[in-house]
Amino acid sequence: MLDDRLYMRDSSYDARWSGTLILVVSNTVVFAIQLIADLTKIPFDRYLALSPSDLSHGWIWQLLTFQFLHGGPLHLILNCAMLWIFGRPLEEVLGRSSFLKLYFISGSAGGLVQVACGWLFTSHFGLGPVLGASAGVFGLIAAFAALNWNQRITTLVAFIIPV
């Protein structure tokens, strides 16, 4: 009788850490390493942030590594919050493997678009390095919206304004 209610059903999650939690923890750990590297003057970001010039020299690992770097605490907090809000339900529907593929492919594609815009429209985008999980998070939000197209979603912009 109670099995017809979603909150009474068994969750499809197992006891392992979810992919969402792994990404949030990874982003936080890498940000802590970034802070330590900045204090010790180690050029950590130089090799991991997505740079158009480095990408043209074959540094393709930056298409993944830039997604773990962040420009400041607020950047990290907002990305991790959106990753948590949209990632958990999406991971339950897609499964861990497909969820992580979607996240990293979205992030890499967003990075490539940013680099291409930097090359084509230098005066508007610049040729500086790109960092952050925003492209991957927006890919998750788009997938969440596509899967839940008929559901009302209310979110808080800057945790203040309901939209």
Side-chain angles (χ1 to χ4, degrees):
M1 178 171 164
L2 294 177
D3 289 340
D4 61 339
R5 298 180 185 158
L6 181 62
Y7 60 88
M8 294 300 292
R9 294 183 193 151
D10 289 334
S11 174
S12 61
Y13 284 124
D14 54 10
R16 302 180 298 176
W17 280 24
S18 70
T20 306
L21 183 58
I22 290 169
L23 288 173
V24 169
V25 169
S26 298
N27 282 324
T28 306
V29 167
V30 171
F31 184 70
I33 294 169
Q34 253 185 292
L35 292 176
I36 293 168
D38 285 347
L39 291 173
T40 58
K41 307 288 189 232
I42 297 171
F44 186 71
D45 294 358
R46 167 70 182 96
Y47 301 103
L48 301 179
L50 181 59
S51 168
S53 61
D54 292 340
L55 193 60
S56 67
H57 289 102
W59 291 18
I60 59 171
W61 65 83
Q62 291 180 345
L63 287 169
L64 289 178
T65 58
F66 88 97
Q67 298 178 55
F68 293 99
L69 303 175
H70 288 85
L74 184 60
H75 187 203
L76 173 72
I77 290 167
L78 289 174
N79 274 334
C80 286
M82 292 300 108
L83 178 60
W84 187 260
I85 290 167
F86 292 99
R88 293 286 293 186
L90 195 59
E91 183 179 0
E92 191 168 340
V93 171
L94 298 177
R96 180 189 287 182
S97 177
S98 296
F99 167 78
L100 291 173
K101 285 178 194 172
L102 173 66
Y103 176 80
F104 286 116
I105 289 171
S106 298
S108 298
L112 284 172
V113 167
Q114 178 71 26
V115 167
C117 288
W119 281 327
L120 296 172
F121 311 107
T122 306
S123 62
H124 295 294
F125 288 87
L127 290 173
V130 179
L131 44 84
S134 301
V137 169
F138 277 109
L140 296 180
I141 292 171
F144 184 87
L147 290 172
N148 299 291
W149 63 271
N150 60 346
Q151 225 174 7
R152 281 184 63 101
I153 300 172
T154 302
T155 187
L156 296 175
V157 174
F159 301 105
I160 299 170
I161 306 165
V163 176

PDB file of all heavy atoms in Angstrom, residues 144-159:
ATOM      1  N   PHE A 144      18.519  17.614 -16.797  1.00  0.00           N
ATOM      2  CA  PHE A 144      17.454  17.570 -15.797  1.00  0.00           C
ATOM      3  C   PHE A 144      16.183  18.202 -16.356  1.00  0.00           C
ATOM      4  O   PHE A 144      15.083  17.659 -16.199  1.00  0.00           O
ATOM      5  CB  PHE A 144      17.902  18.289 -14.522  1.00  0.00           C
ATOM      6  CG  PHE A 144      16.907  18.219 -13.406  1.00  0.00           C
ATOM      7  CD1 PHE A 144      16.918  17.148 -12.527  1.00  0.00           C
ATOM      8  CD2 PHE A 144      15.957  19.203 -13.230  1.00  0.00           C
ATOM      9  CE1 PHE A 144      15.995  17.068 -11.491  1.00  0.00           C
ATOM     10  CE2 PHE A 144      15.028  19.140 -12.214  1.00  0.00           C
ATOM     11  CZ  PHE A 144      15.058  18.068 -11.338  1.00  0.00           C
ATOM     12  N   ALA A 145      16.328  19.348 -17.016  1.00  0.00           N
ATOM     13  CA  ALA A 145      15.169  20.031 -17.598  1.00  0.00           C
ATOM     14  C   ALA A 145      14.551  19.202 -18.718  1.00  0.00           C
ATOM     15  O   ALA A 145      13.326  19.150 -18.846  1.00  0.00           O
ATOM     16  CB  ALA A 145      15.587  21.403 -18.126  1.00  0.00           C
ATOM     17  N   ALA A 146      15.379  18.542 -19.519  1.00  0.00           N
ATOM     18  CA  ALA A 146      14.850  17.709 -20.607  1.00  0.00           C
ATOM     19  C   ALA A 146      14.083  16.510 -20.062  1.00  0.00           C
ATOM     20  O   ALA A 146      13.055  16.112 -20.618  1.00  0.00           O
ATOM     21  CB  ALA A 146      15.986  17.245 -21.516  1.00  0.00           C
ATOM     22  N   LEU A 147      14.562  15.935 -18.978  1.00  0.00           N
ATOM     23  CA  LEU A 147      13.887  14.771 -18.393  1.00  0.00           C
ATOM     24  C   LEU A 147      12.640  15.159 -17.593  1.00  0.00           C
ATOM     25  O   LEU A 147      11.740  14.348 -17.418  1.00  0.00           O
ATOM     26  CB  LEU A 147      14.848  14.004 -17.490  1.00  0.00           C
ATOM     27  CG  LEU A 147      15.981  13.268 -18.209  1.00  0.00           C
ATOM     28  CD1 LEU A 147      16.971  12.702 -17.201  1.00  0.00           C
ATOM     29  CD2 LEU A 147      15.430  12.162 -19.083  1.00  0.00           C
ATOM     30  N   ASN A 148      12.596  16.373 -17.104  1.00  0.00           N
ATOM     31  CA  ASN A 148      11.482  16.832 -16.269  1.00  0.00           C
ATOM     32  C   ASN A 148      10.793  18.031 -16.911  1.00  0.00           C
ATOM     33  O   ASN A 148      10.443  18.993 -16.235  1.00  0.00           O
ATOM     34  CB  ASN A 148      12.000  17.208 -14.872  1.00  0.00           C
ATOM     35  CG  ASN A 148      12.623  16.041 -14.167  1.00  0.00           C
ATOM     36  OD1 ASN A 148      11.945  15.102 -13.782  1.00  0.00           O
ATOM     37  ND2 ASN A 148      13.928  16.080 -14.010  1.00  0.00           N
ATOM     38  N   TRP A 149      10.569  17.968 -18.191  1.00  0.00           N
ATOM     39  CA  TRP A 149      10.051  19.108 -18.944  1.00  0.00           C
ATOM     40  C   TRP A 149       8.661  19.539 -18.516  1.00  0.00           C
ATOM     41  O   TRP A 149       8.291  20.681 -18.666  1.00  0.00           O
ATOM     42  CB  TRP A 149      10.065  18.801 -20.442  1.00  0.00           C
ATOM     43  CG  TRP A 149       9.179  17.645 -20.810  1.00  0.00           C
ATOM     44  CD1 TRP A 149       9.526  16.335 -20.838  1.00  0.00           C
ATOM     45  CD2 TRP A 149       7.800  17.709 -21.160  1.00  0.00           C
ATOM     46  NE1 TRP A 149       8.458  15.557 -21.194  1.00  0.00           N
ATOM     47  CE2 TRP A 149       7.370  16.386 -21.404  1.00  0.00           C
ATOM     48  CE3 TRP A 149       6.888  18.740 -21.309  1.00  0.00           C
ATOM     49  CZ2 TRP A 149       6.076  16.081 -21.767  1.00  0.00           C
ATOM     50  CZ3 TRP A 149       5.591  18.434 -21.682  1.00  0.00           C
ATOM     51  CH2 TRP A 149       5.194  17.110 -21.910  1.00  0.00           C
ATOM     52  N   ASN A 150       7.891  18.649 -17.937  1.00  0.00           N
ATOM     53  CA  ASN A 150       6.525  18.999 -17.557  1.00  0.00           C
ATOM     54  C   ASN A 150       6.381  19.331 -16.075  1.00  0.00           C
ATOM     55  O   ASN A 150       5.281  19.540 -15.597  1.00  0.00           O
ATOM     56  CB  ASN A 150       5.566  17.865 -17.922  1.00  0.00           C
ATOM     57  CG  ASN A 150       5.921  16.570 -17.221  1.00  0.00           C
ATOM     58  OD1 ASN A 150       7.004  16.435 -16.672  1.00  0.00           O
ATOM     59  ND2 ASN A 150       5.021  15.617 -17.254  1.00  0.00           N
ATOM     60  N   GLN A 151       7.479  19.399 -15.353  1.00  0.00           N
ATOM     61  CA  GLN A 151       7.448  19.661 -13.925  1.00  0.00           C
ATOM     62  C   GLN A 151       7.851  21.103 -13.645  1.00  0.00           C
ATOM     63  O   GLN A 151       8.778  21.623 -14.260  1.00  0.00           O
ATOM     64  CB  GLN A 151       8.450  18.737 -13.229  1.00  0.00           C
ATOM     65  CG  GLN A 151       7.957  18.094 -12.016  1.00  0.00           C
ATOM     66  CD  GLN A 151       8.974  17.081 -11.496  1.00  0.00           C
ATOM     67  OE1 GLN A 151      10.087  16.962 -11.983  1.00  0.00           O
ATOM     68  NE2 GLN A 151       8.582  16.351 -10.499  1.00  0.00           N
ATOM     69  N   ARG A 152       7.156  21.762 -12.721  1.00  0.00           N
ATOM     70  CA  ARG A 152       7.561  23.109 -12.305  1.00  0.00           C
ATOM     71  C   ARG A 152       8.799  22.996 -11.438  1.00  0.00           C
ATOM     72  O   ARG A 152       8.843  22.191 -10.510  1.00  0.00           O
ATOM     73  CB  ARG A 152       6.455  23.781 -11.507  1.00  0.00           C
ATOM     74  CG  ARG A 152       5.351  24.348 -12.349  1.00  0.00           C
ATOM     75  CD  ARG A 152       4.336  25.072 -11.484  1.00  0.00           C
ATOM     76  NE  ARG A 152       4.915  26.220 -10.803  1.00  0.00           N
ATOM     77  CZ  ARG A 152       4.767  27.483 -11.205  1.00  0.00           C
ATOM     78  NH1 ARG A 152       4.066  27.742 -12.267  1.00  0.00           N
ATOM     79  NH2 ARG A 152       5.299  28.472 -10.518  1.00  0.00           N
ATOM     80  N   ILE A 153       9.771  23.809 -11.743  1.00  0.00           N
ATOM     81  CA  ILE A 153      11.002  23.832 -10.963  1.00  0.00           C
ATOM     82  C   ILE A 153      11.196  25.246 -10.455  1.00  0.00           C
ATOM     83  O   ILE A 153      11.178  26.200 -11.217  1.00  0.00           O
ATOM     84  CB  ILE A 153      12.217  23.417 -11.824  1.00  0.00           C
ATOM     85  CG1 ILE A 153      12.032  22.009 -12.360  1.00  0.00           C
ATOM     86  CG2 ILE A 153      13.500  23.536 -11.022  1.00  0.00           C
ATOM     87  CD1 ILE A 153      13.083  21.594 -13.358  1.00  0.00           C
ATOM     88  N   THR A 154      11.348  25.389  -9.169  1.00  0.00           N
ATOM     89  CA  THR A 154      11.631  26.689  -8.591  1.00  0.00           C
ATOM     90  C   THR A 154      13.015  26.619  -7.962  1.00  0.00           C
ATOM     91  O   THR A 154      13.313  25.696  -7.203  1.00  0.00           O
ATOM     92  CB  THR A 154      10.593  27.062  -7.512  1.00  0.00           C
ATOM     93  OG1 THR A 154       9.304  27.053  -8.121  1.00  0.00           O
ATOM     94  CG2 THR A 154      10.868  28.430  -6.936  1.00  0.00           C
ATOM     95  N   THR A 155      13.837  27.564  -8.308  1.00  0.00           N
ATOM     96  CA  THR A 155      15.170  27.629  -7.727  1.00  0.00           C
ATOM     97  C   THR A 155      15.397  29.033  -7.204  1.00  0.00           C
ATOM     98  O   THR A 155      14.677  29.964  -7.550  1.00  0.00           O
ATOM     99  CB  THR A 155      16.253  27.222  -8.753  1.00  0.00           C
ATOM    100  OG1 THR A 155      17.505  27.136  -8.098  1.00  0.00           O
ATOM    101  CG2 THR A 155      16.333  28.217  -9.894  1.00  0.00           C
ATOM    102  N   LEU A 156      16.369  29.195  -6.368  1.00  0.00           N
ATOM    103  CA  LEU A 156      16.685  30.503  -5.810  1.00  0.00           C
ATOM    104  C   LEU A 156      17.940  31.040  -6.480  1.00  0.00           C
ATOM    105  O   LEU A 156      18.990  30.420  -6.424  1.00  0.00           O
ATOM    106  CB  LEU A 156      16.913  30.399  -4.309  1.00  0.00           C
ATOM    107  CG  LEU A 156      15.707  29.975  -3.468  1.00  0.00           C
ATOM    108  CD1 LEU A 156      16.116  29.795  -2.016  1.00  0.00           C
ATOM    109  CD2 LEU A 156      14.593  30.982  -3.579  1.00  0.00           C
ATOM    110  N   VAL A 157      17.815  32.190  -7.111  1.00  0.00           N
ATOM    111  CA  VAL A 157      18.981  32.843  -7.697  1.00  0.00           C
ATOM    112  C   VAL A 157      19.715  33.528  -6.558  1.00  0.00           C
ATOM    113  O   VAL A 157      19.149  34.337  -5.822  1.00  0.00           O
ATOM    114  CB  VAL A 157      18.555  33.863  -8.776  1.00  0.00           C
ATOM    115  CG1 VAL A 157      19.753  34.637  -9.289  1.00  0.00           C
ATOM    116  CG2 VAL A 157      17.840  33.151  -9.908  1.00  0.00           C
ATOM    117  N   ALA A 158      20.991  33.210  -6.435  1.00  0.00           N
ATOM    118  CA  ALA A 158      21.833  33.730  -5.357  1.00  0.00           C
ATOM    119  C   ALA A 158      21.217  33.409  -3.974  1.00  0.00           C
ATOM    120  O   ALA A 158      21.437  34.132  -3.020  1.00  0.00           O
ATOM    121  CB  ALA A 158      22.065  35.232  -5.505  1.00  0.00           C
ATOM    122  N   PHE A 159      20.454  32.336  -3.895  1.00  0.00           N
ATOM    123  CA  PHE A 159      19.815  31.866  -2.665  1.00  0.00           C
ATOM    124  C   PHE A 159      18.845  32.893  -2.077  1.00  0.00           C
ATOM    125  O   PHE A 159      18.519  32.840  -0.910  1.00  0.00           O
ATOM    126  CB  PHE A 159      20.861  31.453  -1.625  1.00  0.00           C
ATOM    127  CG  PHE A 159      21.763  30.358  -2.098  1.00  0.00           C
ATOM    128  CD1 PHE A 159      23.071  30.644  -2.478  1.00  0.00           C
ATOM    129  CD2 PHE A 159      21.309  29.061  -2.216  1.00  0.00           C
ATOM    130  CE1 PHE A 159      23.904  29.641  -2.930  1.00  0.00           C
ATOM    131  CE2 PHE A 159      22.142  28.054  -2.669  1.00  0.00           C
ATOM    132  CZ  PHE A 159      23.432  28.344  -3.026  1.00  0.00           C
TER     133      PHE A 159
END
